[in-house]
Amino acid sequence: MVDRQQVQADLEAKVAQGEQKVQELKTQLEEAGDTGSSEAKDALASAEQALETGKEKLKELAEASDEAFDEVLAQAKDTWDNLSSQVESGWSDVSGKIKNLFS
């Protein structure tokens, strides 16, 4: 059996990292002002949606009974991997586009 507290702590840390990256993206777009592209804004929106989905999955895990936790965790692993890649992709897209604005 997986250590529930450790899994939850790891996922909470991932959500916190995602929140930090999304906040950094927002700051970069705010600094870009009107020059921020719609593509960058769309990438940010996608990253925010992925983060919200991650928060929902974390809540599901936290609320799962001990008996159901392993099953919920197994169902959520693919979702977490997908969410992580979406946030990272959004981060890369927006960062690259904003860097291009200031080059």
Side-chain angles (χ1 to χ4, degrees):
M1 183 170 168
V2 177
D3 180 5
R4 181 180 184 140
Q5 288 78 20
Q6 185 61 49
V7 169
Q8 284 181 237
D10 290 346
L11 295 178
E12 287 170 0
K14 287 182 181 181
V15 167
Q17 287 175 336
E19 288 175 331
Q20 180 181 1
K21 286 186 178 185
V22 165
Q23 186 56 48
E24 289 173 11
L25 292 173
K26 285 181 180 180
T27 300
Q28 288 181 342
L29 278 174
E30 288 172 8
E31 290 172 357
D34 292 338
T35 60
S37 72
S38 64
E39 291 173 339
K41 292 174 186 172
D42 290 344
L44 174 60
S46 177
E48 287 178 312
Q49 181 59 44
L51 181 61
E52 287 306 312
T53 302
K55 288 179 181 179
E56 291 170 15
K57 290 295 177 188
L58 180 59
K59 184 178 177 185
E60 286 176 25
L61 286 171
E63 292 175 353
S65 67
D66 287 340
E67 295 79 23
F69 182 80
D70 289 335
E71 183 179 328
V72 173
L73 178 61
Q75 293 171 354
K77 279 193 184 224
D78 288 338
T79 301
W80 277 103
D81 291 341
N82 186 32
L83 294 173
S84 294
S85 65
Q86 283 180 340
V87 171
E88 285 297 324
S89 176
W91 172 253
S92 296
D93 288 348
V94 173
S95 294
K97 289 172 181 153
I98 290 174
K99 285 177 188 174
N100 289 338
L101 292 173
F102 297 108
S103 310

